[in-house]
Amino acid sequence: MILAENHHVNSPSNMVKETVQMSRLTNGEAENSLHKQSDQNPRQGRNGRCRNLGSNGTSSQPCYDENGGEVNRSGISTRDASDNLNANMQPDVIHKKARQQKEMTFQDMYNNQDLFDDEDDDSDWEPAQEHVEIKKWFCTNCTMVNLDDTIHCDICGEHKESGILRHGFFASPFSQDVGSAEVESEIKERHRDLGCPISTLNSSTAVGFDERMLLHSEVEMKSHPHPERPDRLRAISASLATAGIFPGRCYPISAREITQEELEKVHSLEHIEAVELTSHLLSSYFTPDTYANEHSACAARLAAGLCADLAKAIFSGRAKNGFALVRPPGHHAGVRQAMGFCLHNNAAVAALAAQVAGAKKVLIVDWDVHHGNGTQEIFDQNKSVLYISLHRHEGGKFYPGTGAAHE
């Protein structure tokens, strides 16, 4: 109820009239306020409110007490009166009422609901909903989630019981117990049939990998495994080994930790120090999805250093091309920030390393599903490095929201 504030004394009837007039504000503001007040007052009935007031200050329509009973003007609950009446009824009257209710149709019951005085108000009753746990599994190959009754991953097609970490990509689940000697023999036979000698002496492709990068992982165990986790490198290395590519047809390039001087060409000193600080912490986060543990800073330095050396090897002619099997990734890491699972920008470090080795121009082609906002920021004013990104944008609604066509 809304009362107008006045400096002169009004009679009760005038106050009621002013109240009614105030309740007729435009856009229903008074009614909304009335509902808010009534909801906060538990003594105003089952639904927390009474009907509109009459001109004499009494209720023109019934109110309800806390038990849902109608309150008459004398303040007596009709529910209480009904209970007293039922207590004084003769047995034959009660029996007649029960027979009358039994003979009524559903339509009659609906039209005469007042005849049924159910002591238990179950108007807010809802059937108990049993919690059903949905079983899921995460693909070993692409890390995406699938329902338990799905046999092959909806994203990449890998089998639910994948043997990829042992035998390579799309390995049959029925061969997971096969010994490593048999797999190696099968690989050698396959390449012998193709006429491809398993040797790195004449190889023009370099591959870099270091197991210390597997130590970078999320400490906190969650129901959904983080998409950027050590299994990604394990799966790729298993695939290369099964195909006889590495080790086998490519020669290895060792990983080294990038120096601070090299990193300062890409990142600010504050950013470099922030990443280094994580080596003294068991677990930390730059963003809700960009984690670090005590091994992450070392892994990031190894990833950047390996990419830099690989770029130099290619430009110098020691390798025609190469593949850096590294993590954490890098293309979201900008000059001053770590984000999107990325700590140091490995592609940017490699591009500048190639220029130090003598390259005049460098092209970076990024075909990740997300825009490499960090790489774009780093080379935004550098005319000697062209950055091309193929990614989803969706009008800026897809992470990280940057990378529109006009950029």
Side-chain angles (χ1 to χ4, degrees):
M1 179 175 66
I2 301 177
L3 295 178
E5 182 178 349
N6 233 322
H7 295 290
H8 60 274
V9 179
N10 290 327
S11 64
S13 60
N14 289 334
M15 291 182 64
V16 171
K17 290 180 180 179
E18 290 178 0
T19 304
V20 174
Q21 291 175 357
M22 289 290 291
S23 67
R24 294 175 180 173
L25 296 177
T26 58
N27 300 326
E29 293 177 359
E31 285 84 356
N32 291 336
S33 300
L34 178 61
H35 284 301
K36 290 180 181 178
Q37 290 184 13
S38 63
D39 289 342
Q40 296 173 359
N41 189 349
R43 298 181 59 83
Q44 288 183 334
R46 177 172 51 187
N47 293 324
R49 60 179 180 273
C50 291
R51 303 295 179 90
N52 296 332
L53 290 175
S55 60
N56 62 353
T58 59
S59 174
S60 62
Q61 296 186 27
C63 294
Y64 299 93
D65 63 9
E66 296 180 356
N67 296 320
E70 184 178 335
V71 181
N72 57 27
R73 296 181 183 178
S74 63
I76 301 176
S77 170
T78 56
R79 176 180 289 272
D80 296 336
S82 177
D83 292 342
N84 294 333
L85 181 62
N86 287 336
N88 297 327
M89 275 186 175
Q90 298 298 326
D92 57 337
V93 177
I94 299 176
H95 179 71
K96 180 179 180 181
K97 182 180 179 181
R99 185 173 68 252
Q100 181 183 6
Q101 293 178 357
K102 183 176 181 181
E103 294 174 354
M104 294 178 70
T105 64
F106 283 111
Q107 185 64 32
D108 295 332
M109 293 178 183
Y110 180 83
N111 295 331
N112 299 275
Q113 296 183 43
D114 294 336
L115 295 176
F116 305 95
D117 188 12
D118 190 359
E119 289 296 332
D120 297 323
D121 179 13
D122 56 359
S123 59
D124 60 346
W125 178 85
E126 292 182 0
Q129 297 181 355
E130 183 180 353
H131 177 69
V132 179
E133 182 180 357
I134 301 177
K135 295 183 178 180
K136 300 176 291 185
W137 60 275
F138 299 93
C139 179
T140 308
N141 177 53
C142 70
T143 76
M144 300 306 292
V145 63
N146 295 271
L147 296 178
D148 189 60
D149 57 353
T150 304
I151 303 301
H152 293 275
C153 177
D154 291 332
I155 304 300
C156 69
E158 177 71 336
H159 197 279
K160 178 180 178 180
E161 303 296 336
S162 171
I164 185 173
L165 295 181
R166 289 173 290 276
H167 310 307
F169 187 71
F170 287 106
S172 170
F174 304 106
S175 63
Q176 53 186 313
D177 296 329
V178 177
S180 58
E182 297 180 40
V183 175
E184 183 178 357
S185 176
E186 179 184 350
I187 293 173
K188 291 181 179 180
E189 187 67 28
R190 184 188 312 165
H191 289 287
R192 185 179 296 108
D193 294 340
L194 295 175
C196 301
I198 303 179
S199 174
T200 61
L201 297 178
N202 300 323
S203 176
S204 60
T205 298
V207 175
F209 173 64
D210 193 298
E211 290 185 350
R212 286 176 289 177
M213 288 181 282
L214 298 175
L215 298 176
H216 168 61
S217 62
E218 190 174 28
V219 174
E220 182 181 356
M221 300 300 295
K222 300 179 180 178
S223 58
H224 192 305
H226 199 287
E228 209 302 285
R229 58 184 189 269
D231 285 345
R232 301 180 78 181
L233 283 197
R234 293 192 183 101
I236 296 173
S237 60
S239 299
L240 295 177
T242 300
I245 295 176
F246 181 79
R249 300 170 61 188
C250 302
Y251 71 89
I253 178 173
S254 59
R256 69 169 177 89
E257 297 182 30
I258 197 77
T259 65
Q260 179 173 316
E261 181 182 0
E262 291 174 290
L263 282 178
E264 287 180 357
K265 296 178 181 179
V266 174
H267 299 293
S268 66
L269 179 60
E270 293 76 14
H271 170 75
I272 298 172
E273 291 177 345
V275 174
E276 289 303 313
L277 181 62
T278 63
S279 62
H280 303 288
L281 303 173
L282 177 64
S283 176
S284 55
Y285 286 84
F286 290 94
T287 67
D289 62 355
T290 306
Y291 65 82
N293 65 5
E294 55 186 325
H295 305 288
S296 299
C298 177
R301 291 194 301 269
L302 287 169
L306 199 154
C307 290
D309 290 351
L310 186 59
K312 292 178 182 178
I314 294 172
F315 183 80
S316 65
R318 289 188 288 114
K320 183 179 180 181
N321 49 47
F323 178 67
L325 182 53
V326 298
R327 60 184 295 272
H331 72 163
H332 291 307
V335 176
R336 297 175 180 83
Q337 81 280 354
M339 60 178 288
F341 318 158
C342 305
L343 303 185
H344 294 322
N345 196 306
N346 305 319
V349 169
L352 293 183
Q355 289 189 327
V356 171
K360 294 182 179 181
K361 293 184 177 181
V362 177
L363 169 65
I364 299 176
V365 180
D366 184 345
W367 68 88
D368 187 84
V369 69
H370 303 105
H371 172 236
N373 57 305
T375 310
Q376 176 175 313
E377 176 196 5
I378 292 169
F379 296 113
D380 189 42
Q381 303 299 324
N382 191 329
K383 302 301 181 182
S384 64
V385 177
L386 175 62
Y387 175 65
I388 297 177
S389 178
L390 308 177
H391 56 268
R392 288 173 62 181
H393 185 251
E394 299 180 7
K397 297 180 181 179
F398 194 77
Y399 184 88
T402 55
H406 71 272
E407 297 181 47

